Amino acid sequence: MPRPLRDKDGLTEEEFLEKYEPGDYPRPSVATDMVIFTVTDQEEDNYRKLPEKELRLLLIRRGGHPYLGSWALPGGFVRPSETTEQAASRELREETGVDKVYLEQLYTFSQPGRDPRTWVMSCSYLALADSARVRLQAGDDADQAAWFKMACRMKEKRDKTEVWELELNHKDISLGAVLEKETDGTFAGSRIVEQDGLAFDHSRIIAYGLERLRGKLQYTDLALHLLPEYFTLTQLQQVYEVILGRELPAAAFRRKAAPMVKETEQYTENQGHRPSRLYRKNQEG
């Protein structure tokens, strides 16, 4: 039997662990924050007109300190018995009532002082949900949950930096932030210049979530997670446009979408305009 390895102090691993004191080193708390996007139809008075799409983000109003009454991303602390992904899935289920949605790790935000309580690192996640399947419910530390219409636009471009404005609206509630980032950088490392009505550093996390989503639309079929099982090509194009914040040429978009979708024999019904063919995700793509 080989002799156990000893470190510079002459200790075996077993002896080292017996003497180890975790309290000798500062330890952060770890939280998960969920950037949950959905796309909804605008209310339209004319039933013959196709409804426009709106990009929305789920926020909760905090029911306790810190930031009492401010709006924040759904989330919470990771329990000792779970991974960060398990914690994110739990929070998603508790806040929306659904658990089978697209979910991916976004970024770990660890800027000093981001939480006034203590040293807290946030392992954030991006989720995409079909709003028709979501049932909102506030968690233990929240007294309200709502989908906010959102927009994020560049306000000013300087030599090596860009200034962006984030706007979030729900009924008569308006939230916002101004962020500055390096031209060749991402919102993960951006500086919050102003923040109105949002808690913690969540404007930075929100902006980075949208930046990630916009980037992945260029080479994935991620947008399909924001649609029901059956949809029209016009609806799919509207989802792309509302996320990217610009109109797309219809012919070029349909060529791009062709590998992602599969034609069905079903058509729209009772929508006040000419029936349109329905498509579904191409499972072979």
Side-chain angles (χ1 to χ4, degrees):
M1 184 175 180
R3 298 174 61 184
L5 295 175
R6 296 182 180 273
D7 64 10
K8 58 183 177 61
D9 296 319
L11 301 176
T12 64
E13 183 173 302
E14 183 178 5
E15 292 167 341
F16 168 79
L17 292 175
E18 286 178 357
K19 293 176 177 291
Y20 185 77
E21 294 290 343
D24 290 344
Y25 302 93
R27 290 179 292 171
S29 297
V30 179
T32 58
D33 289 303
M34 304 290 298
V35 184
I36 307 172
F37 290 119
T38 194
V39 171
T40 61
D41 289 337
Q42 290 182 3
E43 292 186 5
E44 179 57 60
D45 294 332
N46 184 352
Y47 79 102
R48 292 185 178 277
K49 183 179 178 182
L50 287 172
E52 297 293 326
K53 299 291 185 184
E54 293 180 335
L55 178 65
R56 291 186 179 268
L57 171 76
L58 182 61
L59 294 177
I60 61 168
R61 189 169 64 185
R62 289 187 56 78
H65 293 299
Y67 294 101
L68 176 63
S70 294
W71 290 84
L73 292 168
F77 288 102
V78 180
R79 297 169 180 170
S81 61
E82 61 188 2
T83 65
T84 56
E85 184 167 349
Q86 289 170 337
S89 296
R90 171 176 54 78
E91 292 290 343
L92 179 64
R93 186 170 56 253
E94 291 174 357
E95 299 291 348
T96 68
V98 296
D99 55 6
K100 293 182 180 180
V101 301
Y102 179 83
L103 181 69
E104 74 167 68
Q105 189 174 133
L106 185 60
Y107 191 81
T108 298
F109 291 85
S110 59
Q111 289 87 344
R114 59 174 304 277
D115 190 311
R117 292 169 292 191
T118 185
W119 181 16
V120 180
M121 300 170 67
S122 171
C123 186
S124 61
Y125 281 79
L126 170 68
L128 305 178
D130 174 7
S131 60
R133 297 178 53 216
V134 173
R135 183 185 70 255
L136 294 186
Q137 51 196 39
D140 292 340
D141 61 347
D143 61 4
Q144 188 178 345
W147 289 109
F148 278 72
K149 180 181 176 181
M150 70 167 296
C152 188
R153 305 180 185 89
M154 187 163 60
K155 185 179 179 181
E156 181 182 352
K157 189 166 187 177
R158 299 169 183 167
D159 184 24
K160 296 182 179 180
T161 61
E162 299 171 356
V163 179
W164 288 72
E165 188 170 37
L166 176 67
E167 296 179 354
L168 297 150
N169 297 281
H170 172 69
K171 296 182 178 178
D172 60 345
I173 303 170
S174 294
L175 313 173
V178 176
L179 301 104
E180 184 179 66
K181 76 178 191 71
E182 295 181 1
T183 299
D184 57 353
T186 72
F187 281 109
S190 63
R191 183 174 70 90
I192 300 174
V193 179
E194 299 175 18
Q195 186 168 266
D196 181 21
L198 287 164
F200 306 103
D201 59 347
H202 286 187
S203 59
R204 178 189 292 123
I205 302 176
I206 293 166
Y208 185 59
L210 180 59
E211 184 176 53
R212 168 75 66 85
L213 179 58
R214 284 174 170 173
K216 296 196 79 168
L217 286 194
Q218 308 301 324
Y219 61 94
T220 72
D221 63 358
L222 219 54
L224 298 179
H225 293 279
L226 294 164
L227 287 163
E229 182 179 4
Y230 297 97
F231 52 85
T232 68
L233 290 182
T234 298
Q235 290 170 334
L236 179 59
Q237 181 170 343
Q238 287 179 326
V239 169
Y240 269 77
E241 290 177 339
V242 77
I243 293 172
L244 297 174
R246 66 176 190 271
E247 292 186 1
L248 301 172
F253 175 79
R254 294 195 173 215
R255 287 193 297 271
K256 174 184 174 65
M260 298 189 294
V261 300
K262 187 173 182 179
E263 188 178 276
T264 75
E265 297 304 315
Q266 300 184 49
Y267 290 81
T268 55
E269 296 179 356
N270 304 320
Q271 294 192 6
H273 47 75
R274 183 179 177 182
S276 299
R277 184 181 292 276
L278 292 172
Y279 292 76
R280 65 185 303 178
K281 181 177 180 179
N282 183 6
Q283 303 294 344
E284 301 173 359

